[in-house]
Amino acid sequence: MSRRTDLRFRATTAFQRRLNPLLRRLPLQTVLETTGRVSGLPRQTPVGGRRVGGSFWLVSEFGEKSQYVRNIKADPRVRVRIRGRWHEGTAHLMPQDDPVARLRKLPRVNGVGVRALGTNLLTVRVDLDT
């Protein structure tokens, strides 16, 4: 990772650590809940994405460096809060998917933020149980 990329990652994650606790309290904010790979505790992360049929799609701005992606690799069972309702499902990392093309299909606000801050985009698909 280049020095510039590392600085962007650090600045973004520092900002998100302060903003995420506020965002995940908003009732209509979409939230991804993973299981902490070390602690085993639930970890909630506000995300942007879109439900398409029985799946929920999102793009991780830091790819496999994102903590929630690392948690998914350890345990793919997740919950997603969409429009205030929780759904259980199984997350799949989709490195073969084109994340830039995927962002065009997701809510515009999310796409702008991910493209502006992201350094190593990765598509994630959650197959919902319900």
Side-chain angles (χ1 to χ4, degrees), residues 34-86:
T34 60
T35 301
R37 64 193 173 283
V38 175
S39 69
L41 298 173
R43 300 296 182 197
Q44 294 183 348
T45 306
V47 295
R50 174 167 283 147
R51 184 175 183 166
V52 179
S55 297
F56 181 80
W57 293 84
L58 66 120
V59 175
S60 168
E61 66 229 284
F62 294 113
E64 294 192 19
K65 227 180 149 180
S66 294
Q67 296 300 320
Y68 68 86
V69 171
R70 295 171 71 186
N71 289 342
I72 288 169
K73 287 175 79 173
D75 181 0
R77 291 297 299 167
V78 300
R79 291 191 327 149
V80 183
R81 186 177 74 193
I82 305 168
R83 296 187 188 119
R85 184 168 173 243
W86 285 101

Side-chain angles (χ1 to χ4, degrees), residues 7-19:
L7 287 174
R8 183 188 294 183
F9 173 77
R10 288 176 186 228
T12 302
T13 54
F15 176 72
Q16 288 174 339
R17 279 191 193 108
R18 287 170 178 74
L19 184 63

Side-chain angles (χ1 to χ4, degrees), residues 4-5 7-9 11-13 15-16 59-62 99-100 103 107-121:
R4 184 176 183 186
T5 301
L7 287 174
R8 183 188 294 183
F9 173 77
T12 302
T13 54
F15 176 72
Q16 288 174 339
V59 175
S60 168
E61 66 229 284
F62 294 113
V100 175
L103 281 172
R108 183 167 285 163
V109 172
N110 175 250
V112 170
V114 170
R115 273 193 291 271
L117 302 173
T119 57
N120 188 19
L121 306 180

